[in-house]
Amino acid sequence: MAKTQLNVRVDETTAEAARRRAQERGVSVNRYIEELVQQDAGEAGRAFVEAAADFMRRYETVFAEEFGVPDPRGSGAGPSGSR
């Protein structure tokens, strides 16, 4: 994958923490920051999917009452048999 340069300004304490943590892990600061962003993006995605699934579990009956149960054949029929 092609790499893009990204310049970020942080305070010295944050910069030193990034250098130290990268060294402890045996990776470059660039790789450390890249891994943090990827981890954060993955966690946000997982959190969204989990929240959406929880929402659907909680309100499944409300949706079924309002819109009917989907036709497994994909006809889109609602509670009255048509839309």
Side-chain angles (χ1 to χ4, degrees), residues 9-71:
R9 292 182 185 272
V10 297
D11 60 62
E12 186 55 40
T13 302
T14 302
E16 185 52 41
R19 289 184 199 104
R20 186 177 58 254
R21 295 293 292 158
Q23 185 177 24
E24 289 170 1
R25 292 173 181 239
V27 297
S28 67
V29 173
N30 287 338
R31 181 67 188 157
Y32 175 65
I33 299 298
E34 183 177 19
E35 289 173 359
L36 285 178
V37 171
Q38 289 170 348
Q39 179 183 10
D40 183 55
E43 288 176 5
R46 279 190 296 279
F48 173 79
V49 170
E50 289 172 7
D54 182 56
F55 175 86
M56 290 307 295
R57 279 189 299 276
R58 289 176 182 226
Y59 295 100
E60 180 178 19
T61 56
V62 175
F63 278 90
E65 290 170 2
E66 179 71 23
F67 301 107
V69 178
D71 186 337

Side-chain angles (χ1 to χ4, degrees), residues 67 75-83:
F67 301 107
S75 70
S80 64
S82 64
R83 285 198 170 181

